[in-house]
Amino acid sequence: SLEAAKFTGASIKTVSGIRGQIKKAVINTGGASRGAGPDGAFRATFEDKIRMSDIIFLRSWTRVMPEKYYNPVTSLLEKTPDQWRGIRPIRDIRRQEQVPIPQKKDSEYRDIVREPVKFAPLRIPKKLQATLPFKSKPKDERKRRKPTMEQRRKVVMEPEEKKAVALIQVICLC
């Protein structure tokens, strides 16, 4: 949990492109109480629902100390230092030889195309619904097997009304 605490506030991203942020590290208390988790567990928020199959990436940096390297140039001991030439950078060689910079297809930026996900409707068990206060109970009407009287009623329009409705539908589609 100490490692996860270092990254509080860091931005994370799933493979499908959903962005999120680490909120806080979950502290392992050793028991099976609420909030306990394995080492490195954390709480995070995301812009959209994530799936169990999503992999979450945290782009982080670590300090790497380069090794000190010393390479003395002894060829500068020539009579005229103008004759000495060091190694040319790749940029200069490419420019002189007119070789383009190689580009990998994997390294090119591309738009993230995400298919819309249709989630299953939320189902609350009846025992849990009974214990909920009225304000929190689901108030969706159930689908009727038989259509209501209002749904069965037919509306007969005059020819002018039909033209007006057709015109409104055409305007709304544009």
Side-chain angles (χ1 to χ4, degrees), residues 33-160:
S33 64
R34 186 171 179 243
D39 287 335
F42 58 88
R43 288 187 182 178
T45 56
F46 289 91
E47 292 177 337
D48 197 3
K49 281 188 175 181
I50 61 171
R51 301 180 206 134
M52 286 291 284
S53 61
D54 274 338
I55 298 171
I56 299 169
F57 287 103
L58 166 68
R59 292 185 178 156
S60 62
W61 302 95
T62 183
R63 184 177 293 245
V64 176
M65 299 305 290
E67 294 180 17
K68 292 185 177 181
Y69 179 72
Y70 176 71
N71 186 14
V73 179
T74 57
S75 60
L76 283 176
L77 301 175
E78 295 178 9
K79 295 181 180 177
T80 57
D82 299 337
Q83 294 175 348
W84 181 81
R85 288 179 58 190
I87 297 175
R88 293 182 295 169
I90 294 175
R91 179 188 59 139
D92 293 342
I93 296 170
R94 283 202 177 114
R95 186 181 296 149
Q96 187 177 9
E97 302 292 326
Q98 297 179 350
V99 176
I101 300 171
Q103 294 182 350
K104 297 179 183 177
K105 286 278 186 185
D106 295 345
S107 300
E108 293 178 2
Y109 287 105
R110 57 187 177 271
D111 293 333
I112 298 170
V113 179
R114 186 168 184 225
E115 300 170 6
V117 181
K118 185 177 179 184
F119 292 99
L122 177 65
R123 302 210 185 276
I124 303 172
K126 290 186 179 180
K127 286 184 180 179
L128 181 59
Q129 282 185 19
T131 60
L132 290 173
F134 180 77
K135 186 177 183 182
S136 301
K137 287 185 181 181
K139 295 164 188 72
D140 297 332
E141 287 189 23
R142 297 177 189 242
K143 291 184 178 178
R144 296 177 177 256
R145 293 184 183 180
K146 296 181 180 177
T148 62
M149 186 67 173
E150 292 174 358
Q151 291 172 338
R152 284 187 281 155
R153 190 180 314 149
K154 304 244 178 185
V155 178
V156 180
M157 290 190 263
E158 296 292 324
E160 296 140 10

Side-chain angles (χ1 to χ4, degrees), residues 18-33:
I18 304 170
R19 295 177 297 189
Q21 185 179 19
I22 296 176
K23 291 298 179 184
K24 71 179 221 176
V26 177
I27 300 168
N28 189 353
T29 56
S33 64

